[in-house]
Amino acid sequence: MIYKYVYGQPVTTGAVIKEIKESTEAIALMEFSEKEETLTFSCEMKEQDVVYGLGEQVRGINKRGFSYISYAADDPIHTENKHSLYGAHNFLVLYRAEEKTAFGIFVDDPGKVVFDVGETKRNRLVIHTGKDCVVYAIEGESLKAIVKEFRGLIGRSYIPPKWAFGYQQSRWSYGSEAEVRSVAEHHRRLGIPLDAIYLDIDYMESYKDFTIDTERFPDFRGLVKDMKEQGIHLVPIIDAGVKIEPDYPVYEEGVRENYFCKDENGEDFVAAVWPGKVHFPDVLNREAREWFGEKYKVLMEQGIDGFWNDMNEPAIFYSEKNLKKVLEEIASIQDDNMDLNAFFHMQGIVEGLCNNPVDYKSFFHNMDGVKLCHDRVHNLYGFYMTRAAAEAFEKIEPDKRILLFSRSSYIGMHRYGGIWTGDNEAWWGHLLLSIQQMPALNMCGILYTGSDIGGFGSDTTEDLLLRWLEFAIFTPLMRNHAAAGTRMQEVYRFENTESFRNIIRIRYGLLPYLYSEYMKAALSDEMYFRPVSFDYPKDDHAFLVEDQLMVGESIMIAPVYTQNASGRYVYLPEEMLMVRMKSLEERDSRVLEKGHHYVEIALDEVVFFVKKNHVLPLAILDEEVKSTADVKEDQYEWVGFADENAGYVWYDDDGISKDYVAKEMWKQRGVNQ
Ligand code: GLC
């Protein structure tokens, strides 16, 4: 049951697709108060109650004990003390442990929203929103039912092409055709399957969107074609800022047609990102959105069928106005013997250049006739940039799935594309964070997601990369990505290539199951990744599990995320089959009883657990498997255990067309013991 409450004059964000009648009575589940520009909703939490959700955020699966701020931030250092990451996902579920009941809250407010989940007062959940917003309260008989109800409200999750479930290699700095070919060649020579190579900003001419540096990529179309023949898709990045440069058509057209965001004087707002000074396309405006979306065609005509949208919080290195102010202030400093106050003051001035809140208050959108200050709709920018692309793809290639994901997002964007979790670090803690973010993202409909495997910033290590891959073979987006200047981290750079190859091949072996589970989750508004408690609500201990996840209908994973660990403790909420794999071919399994176990997991092993009376299909791969296209649908075996007949609903399709429902792709396959 969903209740809708409207406050003030909210912006229509596009998060919700279902009409719900407005409720007139107060939200029974929370207390309400109003003060100037802020509305506050709050309620008591008992000690054992658990809060799930909030999508891409720091800290654990249970969000209690900290405050989270929805205000999309370009902040690569995701330490625990941070309150905002790249996305804004205002949906949470409070589970009442004693009563065994739960309710969900979705705050549809594209400005700043604060969720104080027991930070100020341990036993109080407090939500502060702007004065114009819509709040949805959702009741249901279980955690799963509440999420499903919410997902029905916000619409079906994005469905990528099947090749996007293959292994993908990326790096900021691949700067020439030769480098791209070399990455492909290394994977192919060593028999490591690979479905995509990413093109970061270095493929462009002077970081200008929708251009290609023809000196370094003299035959782009030919390169795309050659790669595709090898089963590898090239996926270029598109940034939010459009370089200010006379004669650059995207800039010229945007200025001429008034498609850019404006400053307080009605001039095109000037910020700076990679290319230097840029304007931001006003993607909240329908015409500007259509115009920007059509630009992707330039690359699609060269054979491109996947994109990643970046810097769309939007990230601002500096604004023209703020830079002027800062330079003046710095120039006025005459002190060459600064004490701590003077020094920190100077440091603060410089640090304030980047992503300054004042800048976000100083530009405006024309949202189809309504002038809106950016600050009020800040969290929509990444969503609408991605929507621009997805709507254009519908026109350009109506029958084909195009890979699309974004860095910044808001609920609603999940219908148009996926996300990656942004600039993490090569830290063990970020491997754990990535595990914990997955179910929270799935709750918000963001199913196509994953983190930068191995860590984006800092130098990775062989053991971290192995452990990260052992988790990431379960994430729909499985992409190794790193920052320029860090240690090279393609898997062939390490000594232990055979282990990397084996682990990546296990992903391809699991593909029939993972793809089937993704599609079932997307088509039925369900979660692909779930906290253990969602499947075992009667088990009190399941609510305490912070580092294990249910993946699809049949399995549970318990990844290793600590350095030098030879295994880990795993909690089994029921008797399960433990499957241990060194490679697809070299594996064993045994049944473990319900309870706590210490499980040895060597550095080069994948371990997962199959639920009782459940099975999963595992593809039998030829030695030569290069990409998802080589995984044969009729070569598989069943893995699982049952004391009665076990069945599996197996979804499969051609992986590229959009005829998901019309064809008979849901097959109930019985497996007899
Ligand atoms: C941003 C992105 C990162 C990319 C870099 C250069 O930091 O998050 O993935 O590599 O920009 O484009």
Side-chain angles (χ1 to χ4, degrees):
M1 191 66 192
I2 306 184
Y3 305 89
K4 173 181 176 181
Y5 305 89
V6 180
Y7 301 89
Q9 294 183 316
V11 173
T12 305
T13 63
V16 163
I17 53 146
K18 205 166 158 183
E19 278 296 322
I20 302 274
K21 226 175 100 232
E22 196 183 325
S23 305
T24 43
E25 284 164 36
I27 301 182
L29 306 158
M30 298 192 100
E31 293 156 33
F32 170 72
S33 67
E34 190 173 355
K35 205 168 146 202
E36 289 159 13
E37 297 293 290
T38 311
L39 309 181
T40 300
F41 304 85
S42 67
C43 67
E44 263 329 286
M45 295 182 289
K46 291 197 188 124
E47 201 55 32
Q48 306 305 326
D49 293 354
V50 180
V51 174
Y52 294 103
L54 298 179
E56 185 188 37
Q57 261 299 355
V58 294
R59 305 214 175 197
I61 291 178
N62 181 356
K63 302 313 277 188
R64 283 192 66 171
F66 197 58
S67 290
Y68 309 88
I69 301 178
S70 280
Y71 199 78
D74 164 36
D75 180 348
I77 310 295
H78 311 158
T79 41
E80 277 181 31
N81 56 323
K82 298 296 167 67
H83 298 275
S84 308
L85 298 180
Y86 303 94
H89 307 134
N90 300 340
F91 175 56
L92 60 75
V93 174
L94 172 60
Y95 174 73
R96 301 263 187 220
E98 238 166 64
E99 297 85 351
K100 296 207 185 306
T101 59
F103 67 89
I105 293 285
F106 170 50
V107 178
D108 194 6
D109 178 349
K112 178 171 163 182
V113 178
V114 179
F115 297 88
D116 182 344
V117 192
E119 183 184 48
T120 307
K121 280 196 185 148
R122 220 193 116 59
N123 286 327
R124 203 133 190 104
L125 168 65
V126 185
I127 305 172
H128 301 289
T129 73
K131 67 176 181 22
D132 303 296
C133 69
V134 186
V135 175
Y136 296 86
I138 304 161
E139 286 179 311
E141 60 188 21
S142 67
L143 291 160
K144 279 186 182 174
I146 291 168
V147 172
K148 195 171 164 103
E149 186 92 33
F150 174 58
R151 298 272 300 283
L153 183 69
I154 60 173
R156 190 171 79 197
S157 297
Y158 163 72
I159 294 178
K162 198 192 262 185
W163 62 261
F165 291 81
Y167 178 56
Q168 317 190 31
Q169 179 60 51
S170 181
R171 180 177 178 85
W172 170 15
S173 76
Y174 292 155
S176 67
E177 175 170 334
E179 251 175 291
V180 172
R181 287 187 189 276
S182 153
V183 173
E185 202 265 322
H186 273 93
H187 284 85
R188 290 293 171 255
R189 186 156 40 83
L190 294 164
I192 302 167
L194 183 71
D195 271 81
I197 298 178
Y198 282 67
L199 298 176
D200 206 315
I201 46 175
D202 309 280
Y203 79 91
M204 301 181 206
E205 185 199 307
S206 310
Y207 309 121
K208 284 183 292 189
D209 279 340
F210 313 113
T211 66
I212 293 157
D213 187 317
T214 48
E215 248 172 57
R216 289 178 289 113
F217 292 87
D219 179 15
F220 191 77
R221 190 189 295 270
L223 177 68
V224 176
K225 188 164 164 276
D226 284 0
M227 289 294 117
K228 231 178 242 176
E229 278 165 13
Q230 294 187 37
I232 296 172
H233 298 252
L234 294 190
V235 184
I237 196 168
I238 303 294
D239 279 342
V242 170
K243 183 172 169 65
I244 300 177
E245 186 183 273
D247 298 332
Y248 165 38
V250 185
Y251 160 75
E252 296 278 0
E253 284 169 29
V255 171
R256 195 174 60 234
E257 303 294 336
N258 269 319
Y259 287 153
F260 294 126
C261 294
K262 302 288 181 194
D263 66 15
E264 44 278 83
N265 304 317
E267 305 291 328
D268 292 334
F269 174 71
V270 182
V273 206
W274 308 117
K277 288 186 187 171
V278 299
H279 292 319
F280 291 127
D282 187 359
V283 283
L284 271 59
N285 177 279
R286 195 174 47 81
E287 280 174 35
R289 190 161 65 241
E290 278 173 11
W291 163 76
F292 193 73
E294 275 166 22
K295 298 288 162 216
Y296 287 73
K297 198 170 167 187
V298 174
L299 290 156
M300 294 168 83
E301 282 168 352
Q302 314 252 353
I304 293 294
D305 48 12
F307 296 90
W308 48 314
N309 282 347
D310 192 21
M311 304 297 269
N312 51 10
E313 293 69 34
I316 299 181
F317 290 175
Y318 59 86
S319 68
E320 193 175 45
K321 206 164 138 194
N322 196 15
L323 179 68
K324 205 161 158 256
K325 195 169 134 244
V326 167
L327 291 177
E328 280 166 10
E329 280 184 49
I330 295 286
S332 72
I333 297 175
Q334 297 300 327
D335 191 354
D336 66 357
N337 182 13
M338 289 185 269
D339 66 5
L340 88 164
N341 293 325
F343 176 73
F344 288 146
H345 176 66
M346 183 193 72
Q347 205 177 23
I349 294 173
V350 178
E351 278 170 6
L353 266 179
C354 210
N355 304 321
N356 190 307
V358 175
D359 287 334
Y360 288 132
K361 290 197 172 82
S362 69
F363 66 97
F364 297 84
H365 298 272
N366 167 5
M367 198 169 182
D368 305 328
V370 183
K371 183 179 172 188
L372 290 170
C373 177
H374 174 77
D375 179 62
R376 189 170 164 207
V377 287
H378 174 69
N379 293 330
L380 292 185
Y381 197 87
F383 167 7
Y384 277 71
M385 179 185 173
T386 303
R387 179 172 172 185
E391 286 176 344
F393 299 162
E394 281 295 327
K395 289 190 207 142
I396 303 167
E397 292 266 24
D399 301 323
K400 188 173 154 186
R401 300 183 215 170
I402 304 290
L403 171 61
L404 179 63
F405 61 91
S406 170
R407 191 169 74 173
S408 190
S409 59
Y410 182 80
I411 290 174
M413 203 206 79
H414 70 287
R415 300 193 300 273
Y416 299 96
I419 68 156
W420 90 101
T421 56
D423 297 350
N424 56 9
E425 291 279 326
W427 298 340
W428 291 92
H430 275 182
L431 167 53
L432 172 62
L433 176 65
S434 159
I435 297 166
Q436 293 172 322
Q437 284 174 332
M438 292 300 128
L441 285 166
N442 276 208
M443 285 172 70
C444 302
I446 301 165
L447 300 185
Y448 189 74
T449 183
S451 57
D452 287 350
I453 298 168
F456 173 76
S458 313
D459 290 342
T460 203
T461 54
E462 184 170 21
D463 56 346
L464 177 60
L465 188 57
L466 276 166
R467 290 301 194 195
W468 209 309
L469 279 164
E470 285 159 20
F471 162 60
I473 57 170
F474 297 98
T475 60
L477 167 63
M478 182 191 181
R479 184 181 75 145
N480 178 339
H481 180 50
T486 59
R487 176 181 184 179
M488 302 302 280
Q489 67 182 42
E490 297 82 8
V491 295
Y492 55 80
R493 306 273 180 185
F494 299 87
E495 236 172 288
N496 205 351
T497 317
E498 197 50 30
S499 302
F500 285 111
R501 175 174 184 266
N502 286 338
I503 292 166
I504 294 169
R505 278 173 58 85
I506 294 174
R507 159 65 164 227
Y508 284 75
L510 287 167
L511 186 74
Y513 174 72
L514 300 179
Y515 183 70
S516 168
E517 291 305 316
Y518 183 95
M519 294 301 288
K520 280 154 55 182
L523 297 173
S524 333
D525 295 336
E526 271 160 19
M527 292 165 71
Y528 168 94
F529 281 122
R530 298 174 304 281
V532 176
S533 55
F534 278 46
D535 283 31
Y536 299 93
K538 291 194 180 125
D539 179 341
D540 290 345
H541 191 80
F543 288 87
L544 304 176
V545 177
E546 281 282 327
D547 56 2
Q548 302 175 198
L549 300 176
M550 309 308 302
V551 186
E553 70 172 56
S554 301
I555 68 180
M556 182 181 83
I557 58 169
V560 173
Y561 53 86
T562 45
Q563 190 178 344
N564 296 325
S566 59
R568 53 161 291 172
Y569 283 95
V570 179
Y571 177 66
L572 299 194
E574 64 172 328
E575 187 184 39
M576 287 184 177
L577 180 76
M578 178 174 73
V579 180
R580 176 188 299 283
M581 292 182 165
K582 266 211 188 304
S583 69
L584 265 183
E585 297 73 28
E586 197 186 335
R587 63 170 202 264
D588 62 59
S589 56
R590 89 185 146 95
V591 176
L592 294 183
E593 62 192 32
K594 173 181 159 74
H596 296 272
H597 299 264
Y598 185 84
V599 177
E600 301 282 346
I601 309 173
L603 192 53
D604 58 354
E605 276 179 343
V606 170
V607 168
F608 62 88
F609 303 85
V610 187
K611 290 165 89 168
K612 190 166 185 178
N613 295 326
H614 282 76
V615 290
L616 62 140
L618 189 68
I620 301 167
L621 302 187
D622 297 339
E623 269 303 300
E624 304 78 62
V625 161
K626 295 188 189 69
S627 70
T628 46
D630 299 332
V631 180
K632 312 235 168 46
E633 59 183 67
D634 54 350
Q635 287 181 17
Y636 65 90
E637 56 189 304
W638 293 109
V639 175
F641 93 115
D643 55 11
E644 49 193 71
N645 285 348
Y648 179 71
V649 178
W650 186 345
Y651 177 95
D652 199 13
D653 59 19
D654 65 8
I656 200 76
S657 70
K658 294 182 175 169
D659 201 8
Y660 322 113
V661 198
K663 288 191 208 138
E664 282 296 304
M665 282 162 300
W666 299 70
K667 297 171 201 134
Q668 172 72 42
R669 300 202 181 171
V671 188
N672 296 320
Q673 274 306 101

